[in-house]
Structures are given as C-alpha cells and as structure tokens.
Amino acid sequence: MTKLNLRRVSVRTEDQALVKGADLDFGPGELVAILGANGAGKTTLLRAALGFIRPDSGEALLAQKPSYTLKPAERAQWVSYLPQTRPLAWPLSVFDVVALGRFAHGASLGRLLGPDQRAVDAALAACDITHLADRSTATLSGGELARTQLARAFAAQTPLLVADEPVAALDPRQQIRVMELLQGFVAQGGGALVVLHDIALAARYADRLVWMAEGEIIADGPVRQTLTPEILRRVYGVTAEVFDRAGHLNIHIEGAA
Amino acid sequence: MSKVRVVPGLIPALVAGSVLVMVLACFLGSTELSPSRIMMAFIGLGDRADMLVIWHIRFPRTLAAFLVGAALGISGAAMQGLLRNPLAEPGVLGVSATAALGATFALYYGLVGLWPFILPISAILGALLATGVVAMMAFRTQSVVTLILVGVGLSSFAAALMSLLMNLAPNPFSLSDMINWMMGSVANRSFDDIGLAAPFILAGLALLLWQRRGLSALTLGEEAAAGLGLNLKLQRLSVILGAGLATGGAVALAGAIGFVGIVAPHIIRPWVGHDPARTLIPSGLMAGMILVLADIVVRLLPTAAEMKLGVIAAIIGAPAFAYIAAQRKGAVHD
C-alpha cells in the first residue's frame, strides 16, 4: 500500500524554521485535512512530503522511499499534486488540461492512446465536466476550473492525491462539490491530503484533522478529538465555540483571543 | 462560449505552403528566367548560366532563409513554452544579438581562418551565454517586464561590444558589415555556408522537438508540472541548449533577425489548441515561410542597395510584438 510518512521532518530557511519536527502518516482510504493559520508551514510541509524540497532533518517517505530521491516520473505514479490554484499560462481546452494528468504515463496532447483516453473520459465524467471538454479554460468559472484541475489529478489514477487549498475562492456550493468529489475519490480507495481554511468544511468531510501552528503539528486526530476551543485558540489565536449541529461539528468564532 | 479547436491537416498544409513559397522564390529574381528554363535548371538539364543562377544563387539563399526561419520559429515557440510567456523570443531576449557578437568576434579576429566551424560555434557560445542569463533570471522572477529588460540590456551590451570590436579589430570591419550582422541577411549565401550552420541548427531543433511534451506540462506552472512527473532541470537545460544551438546556428548563417520567433507562434497557437508542444513544428514551418516571403520582398524592392532581410522582419514583427504585449494587460505574471 502506498503511504506517505514523515518522521521528524524539519525545513529551515537561513533565519527561520518553516517546519519543525513534523510526524505524519497518511495513506489510501482517508481524507485528511491540514489546518493552520497563514504562514503556519502547511505548504512547506506538503512540498517536503512530496520531495520538492529536501528536509533539513528527518525524513519524508513516499512508498517507503525518501521522496526527495524519487524521480519526478516515479513520484507522479504514486501521488497527484494540486498546488495552490494558479492561472494557466495558455488557454488550453478543458480536455487537454485533464489529459496533462496522463503526462507520467507518456501521453502527448492530441495523440492520446486508448488507456489515456479512457482515463481522461472517466475523470471528465466523474467531475461532471464532460460537456465542457472543448471549452477554453480561459472562459471557465472558478468552480468549473477547480473541477477541471481535480479531474486532471483524477486522470492520473494515482493512489494518493495532495491538494493545497483546492476550494480557495470558491462559493459554498462549489466548495461542497469539490469536497464531495474528494470524498468519492477516497470511497474508491484513494487517499486525499488537503489543506483547508474552512474549519466547518474540514470538520464535515475529513476523517482526520492535522493542526499546524508555527511550523509544528500540534494535533493530529479524528475531528471530534481535535476540533476544540483550545486548539482553535492555539492555532488561530481566536476564542471560539465548538458545537454539534445535525451530527457535524461547527464553530462560532467570538473574536481574537 | 469559446471552443478550442485544433485545425486538422495543419502540418501537411504548411509543408505544402513552404514548398510553394520556396519554388516561387527560385522563380523570382533580378534575372528574368522563364518557368521552363528554371525547371530544366532545377533537374540539372538547363544551360550553365541558368544552373548557376538556380543552384548557386537563388536556391541556397532560399534554403538559408527557410532554415533560419525554422530555427527561430521553433526556438521562439520553445522559449515561450518554457518561460510561459508569448513575448519570449531569441531576438527580444538578446540571444540573437549576443550570438551575432560571438560570430563577429570569430570573424574579425581571424579565428575563422583556423577552422571554419569556429564561426557557428562562436555564435552558439554567444547564444548560450544569453539564454543562460535569461533563463537564470526567469527562474528567479516571474515578471515579463524584467525579462524583456534583461533582453534589452543584453542586446545593447552586445551592440556596444560589437562597436568596440569594430574599432579595435586587426582588420577593421565596416559599418555595413555590422549592419549585416545586427539586421540579418541571406544574400549571397552558398551551400557551404548552410553546411556550416545546418548541423547545429538541426541538432538544436531535434533537442527541442524531443523535449516538447514537457512544454505542455509547464502550462500548469513549474510546481504542478513537476508534480505531473516532469524533470524540470532536464527540461530547462534542453530548451536552453536547443534554443542556443538553433539560434546560434541561425545567426551564424544570417545574422540577427528579430521578431519572426514571436510572430509565427502567435499565428499558429490558436490553430493547435494553444498547446505549446503542438505549436513547435507548425511555428517552424510558418516562420520559414515568412522569411522566404520576406526575402522575396527584399529582392524585388527596387532599392539602390538591397534591403536587409531583418529590416522587413522587424517592420512586420515589431508592431506585432507591441500588439501582443498590449493584449496582455490582463495577463498573469505582469
């Protein structure tokens, strides 16, 4: 089984520690949300986990191998990665962007082979964007673009998916659609590790919450164990009330602590 | 609703168009030759004077224009893909001017006398120096403006050094020589000249075409592309080396011809779904056609001294450059 394991991972710049001694295990069958204030080290943690940067100490393992030593093509077979949403450099069609998910399988745009074509078709259908396949990505709404990026990750058919703020700047309805797609991916045996800023959304969809503050993972566990006023105070510096509404935890932020 | 279309049969059509303009270029010239005499000369059955005109003057010149165009078109398209920016181009980024500096240095300091291949090699070293500097800047900053300013700086620096060389060279070269190198021309090129540059151009283009798939991946940004499985370092190195070889070879053959590497990919992009990888080959053919046509114009214009090919290229290309730049006001990284 493909897993991502961090053991005492630290990442430093010259004058400050971005991630301090982080331990994290993540694998198929779970949707894990990473939460933390801006600058808490969430993105750096993901980048170290995936091997884009080398940990200064500790080790990040992907499928039992130090992820920094993996060849890009090898890594891409285990995990798809959605960085914080960035505009596309060229207005490709939705189909072509999704087809880029098959890059590690050797696919060239415009000349897809059978398995690649099927994977792209399936991903388009899963994300409900088949009707947009010929559309220019320059003309999509935020929600459509988010689902296109997600379909691109699904098309890779990797066991793991790592997404950095996949619902940023989406309206509530689109946020729910994206989270449901991720949930569907996990129900089919995948594993999703997602940075989120919406605490209620994370509480509703994630199996586990990983809380970061000032480069450290200060809590990691099921929603009901880790979503507490105390954690919210430490992570975001706010006083908040946590309450149960129709089986889901929700929060009400009262003010800065 | 804007649909993305890919024009079917684009490459065969461009190949046919290229052959057509090259044949046309062989038909036109200051010496009036009837089509039948030209055809006979082409297949080796014409009289000596006709054969000389076709095989030693018109055809090599046409082939040189096409080869230079193809090199600049594909280099431009590849650099645009790597830097994710439609304004990247060997001329704008100062690569051509630096290559011309390398070439003139080799030429006027007698190095070419030692070994003829020193000419293209010096041009390529100049080109690689500039592509290297530009690429290093590009990976540090995402600002298009910064890149173009670096290109302007490199071009001015190369022009200044060339002017200095002019004064200091043991066999001083004339202002018209310098204009030849800075504006570019394919007048009086022979198959020998082509033979010196072509191996480098073809090697560079082969490298760029071999690595073109990665340019599609870069559409999503560098980090996402790496996540897709792209080896970023190899990709950068291949494009820098490939564009350096092709541009350096092209400059050794024809001097610095600007803008064609921007115009051709800009025309092609909407026809290939804006995919940088699929832009490469059609851009090469299109740029080749453009330079062959521009060279026909140069030859037919009744000017006292023949106009430079690069002048025509800039007259068409510079406004196009300004237009594309103005269109980008809403674009990403500015």
Side-chain angles (χ1 to χ4, degrees), chain A residues 85 141-144 146 165-172 174-175 178 197-198:
Chain A
T85 334
S141 70
E144 290 165 341
E165 298 191 34
V167 300
L170 295 185
D171 67 45
Q174 295 301 332
Q175 293 193 353
V178 167
H197 275 300
D198 186 323

Side-chain angles (χ1 to χ4, degrees), chain B residues 154-176:
Chain B
L154 278 173
S155 289
S156 308
F157 189 59
L161 283 182
M162 205 187 270
S163 170
L164 183 69
L165 287 182
M166 236 171 102
N167 294 327
L168 299 181
N171 38 346
F173 47 110
S174 65
L175 195 61
S176 76

Side-chain angles (χ1 to χ4, degrees), chain A residues 47 88 96 107 134-136, chain B residues 1-2 4 213 220 223 278:
Chain A
R47 299 183 74 223
L88 297 157
D96 281 349
D134 293 336
R135 272 275 288 278
S136 161
Chain B
M1 273 269 288
S2 109
V4 174
R213 217 167 60 89
L220 300 178
E223 201 168 51
R278 275 178 287 180

